[in-house]
Amino acid sequence: MTKTMKNIDSIGHLRGESLFVDDIITKQNTLYGLVFDSPIAHGKIVNVDYSKAEILEGVVKIFTYKDILGVNQIGGIIADEELWAEKEVHFAGQPIAFIVADSEAIAKKARSLINIKIKELPIITSAKEAKEKGSFINAPRSFRSGSTKESFDQCDYIIEGETFSNGQEHLYLETQGCYAYPMENGNIKITSSTQGPTQIQIATSKVLGVSMHKIEVDVIRLGGGFGGKEDQATAWAVMSAVAVQHLKKPIKHVLNRHDDIRMTGKRHPYESTFKIGLTKNLKIQAFEAEFLQNSGAAADLSPAIAERTLFHATNSYFIPNVKTTVYSCKTNLPPNTAFRGFGGPQGMFVIESAIAQAADEIGVNKRYIQEANLIAENDKFSYGQIATKVEAGNSWTSAKEKFDLKKLEKDILNFNAENSRFKKGVSLMPIAFGISFTNTPMNHARALVHIYQDGSVGLSTGAVEMGQSVNTKMIQVASQTLGISSSKIKLETTNTTRVANTSPSAASATADLNGNAVLKACKLLMERLRKISSKMLSVDLDSISFENDFVLIKNKRSDLSWEKVVAQAMLERVALTENSHYATPQINFDKTKEKGHPFSYHVYGTAITSVTVDCLRGTYKIDAVQIVHDFGKSMNYGIDLGQVEGALAQGIGWMTMEEIVYNKKGQLMSNALSSYKIPDILSVPKKVDVIPLETKGNEMAILKSKAVGEPPLMYGIGTYFAIQNAVKEFNPNYKLKFHSPFTPEKVLMGLYES
Ligand code: MTE
Ligand code: HPA
Ligand code: MOS
C-alpha cells in the first residue's frame, strides 16, 4: 500500500518562504542583465547605434553576437536559432543585444537609448500563408494506417471541414530568469528557472566555447513552467553566462512580465482541415487530417510537438484507415514551444470537431458517434501501437452512470424548453494520452541517494519541481522503499553535477522516470541494510524488512531502529550512497516507417461538461465538469486531484477565453493581463467532480500511479462543444464553426447569425 503524504512545499509556499530565482540572496558586485530585442518582425539589420546607451552611467557593457567565443546558436532539435541576431531579425522580440548594468533601472534606461535601423522584409504571421509560400521548419510528417482512399468509397457519410485553434500564453506566475556567477578556473554556476537544466548546460557550453563540465546548472524550483521553460529558459541563462565569462561578475537576469510575454513563444496555433467517413451504423471508417502548425521563426520544439499531434489525432477512438499530415510552418512570430499537452490537444480538437460536424450533418447526438468508436483492447493506433489495458470504454460508461447522464440530458431538455433567454448544452469528452517522450532516447533518468550516518537521507534526481509536486512524490517513493518517515528525507535541488545528462522535466513522465530511478537506488541500499540487520538480530535475511523507522522481523516490529542499522553500516564500512539509472523498457519508434510502440501506457478518462449560455449577452457559465479519470492507483490523491483541476482550468481557458492576437506586422497585441484573459475564480466551473476510475493500476507507472500532469488539460476541449450545443439550441440556423477560443463575442455572433 502506498502511503500518501502532504505536499512538502505547502507550508513554504503559504508563508512565502519557498525560494525562487528572484529570492536568491545576491552576491556582492552583482550586475543586472536586460535584453534589447527586435522591434519589428522581419528585416535586415542596417545599423544599431549603442553609443548613447553605452555612455550612460552604470552601464557596464552591452553584449552582442560579436562577444561570443563559441557559436552563436541555441537551437535544440534544429540549429536554426541565434542567441543574438547578427544580420537579420525574424520576429518582433528577437534578442539582439544584452545590456549589463549596475541596476535593472539603468539597464532599462539604456535600452531606450539604443537606436536601430532595420530594412523591413515581408512578414508572415499565419501558418496557411507560410504553407502557400513554402516556408517550413522541416519536412512534413505523415502517419498512415489502412487505406483511406479505398475506405472513403465504402462510407455512407463523408464530411469535410476546417478548424483553427489559437495559441496560449503560459503565464507561469514566475517569469523566466536566472542567476549566473563565476566560480574558480573559468567555471560558471547558473541557477535557472528551467525545466531542462541539461539543455542549458549544453547550450551554454556551445555558445561559450567551453566543455560541459565547466558549467553547473542548479534548479531550486519553478513558479510554474507548463512547457514554457522546457526549451525557452535557455536563452536567458546563456546570455548571462556569456556576460559572466567576460566580466567575471555575478549576473542576475529576471524578465519582467512584459518582456517575457513579448519575447517568448507560446502554444502553437493550428489551422487544420479534416475529412471523416462513417458507415450507417456510425462507425468511423476513415479519417484524414492536415495540420498546419504555426511554428514561429525557429524550430524550438516544434517538430516534436508536431509529431505528438499525429500521435493524438485520433484521440481515444479506433479508426482503421487514417492518413494524417502535419506541416511545421515557419512564420515571423516568436518560436512557439511546448505547452501542456505538447501538440496533443491541437490534434484532439480536430477529431472532436470532425465528429461534431459529422453528427450535425447526420443528425445524431455527437456522443453516439463517440461511443461507437472508442478504442478497445488490442485495437491498433495509427502508429502501430496495440492498445492494451484500455480504459476508454470503462471511463466512458462509468462517467455516464456515475454522473447520471440520462437525468442530466433530460434536465437540460426541460430547461431549454422552458427558457428562451438562457440555453444549456452538454458534451462528453473522452481522452487517451500517451505517456513517454515520443523521442524514445529521452526516456531515462537517474537518482543519487545518500544515507547520512545519522540516518537522515539526501535525495537528488533529475526531476524539476514546477508546482506539479514531483518532489513530494520522490520523497514518497524513497520513504516507502526505505521504510522510514518522510521527515528523514531531504530533496536536494536539481543539479547537473549530482545528476547529469537529464531529460527535461516534461511529457508528464518526470515522476515515472525519476521515481523509478529512486526506487532502484533505494532497493539497492535496502539490500545492504537488510543484510546488516539480519546479522545484528541473528535472524534469517528473508524475514527482515523496514517500516516506520524500525526493522521488522516477519512483519513484526523489532527493537532495532533504522539509525542503529545505519550506524552499524558505517562501522562495517558499507556504502550508504547509491546511484541508479532507469530507462523505460519496451518502448520504440521507427521514424522511417512512422510505426512502433512509443508509449509505455496511455492515460484515459471522460469528462461530462454542462454549460449555460446567456443568449442576450453571449456570455456563458460552466455549470459543471464531471470527470471519471484514470489515475491508475494514485500515490498521492491530493496532488493528483490538484493536477486534474489545474489542467482542466487551463484547458478551459485555452478553449474559451485566452485569445492571442498578433497584428499583421507580427506585433503581439494581447501583451498584458489587461488584454489577455486567463480563467479566474469566476470563470472556472461552478462544480468540478472527479471520480477515480477503478482499475488495477498499471505496472509501467511509478507505484502503479499513472502520470497526471498533462492529460486532464484535454477535458477542457469538452467545454467548446458544450457551448456550441447551447448556441445551436437557441439558433437552429447556427452553422457549426471550429475556431477556438469560443469567446463570448463569437458566441454572440453565433446566436444571431442567420
Ligand atoms: N503543474 C503545475 N502546478 N505547474 C506546472 O508548470 N506543468 C505541466 C504539468 N503540471 C505544470 C504542472 C506540464 S506541461 C507537464 S509536462 C507536467 O506537469 C510535468 O511534470 P510531471 O512530468 O511531473 O507530471
Ligand atoms: N513531450 C514533452 N516534451 C518533449 C517531448 C514530449 O513528447 N519530446 C521532447 N520534448
Ligand atoms: Mo510539458 S508541455 O511536456 O512541459
Side-chain angles (χ1 to χ4, degrees), residues 86 90 131 169 206 263 312 372 411 417 419 459 469 471 578 585 618 693 697 731 752:
E86 291 189 17
H90 301 277
K131 181 164 186 254
E169 163 59 39
K206 279 189 184 151
M263 294 193 274
H312 294 95
D411 290 349
N419 287 277
L459 178 57
S469 311
N471 282 357
E578 198 48 67
L693 184 70
N731 179 8
Y752 295 98

Side-chain angles (χ1 to χ4, degrees), residues 27 44 78 126 130 229 292 311 374 459 518 522 565 585 608 637 641 657 661 664 746-747 751:
K27 294 169 178 286
K44 280 204 161 30
I78 300 174
S126 88
K229 295 171 182 169
L292 306 186
F311 283 117
L374 290 172
L459 178 57
V518 172
C522 291
V565 179
I608 301 177
Y637 193 66
L641 182 62
M657 67 181 75
V661 181
K664 285 272 167 249
K746 285 188 204 153
V747 170
L751 288 167

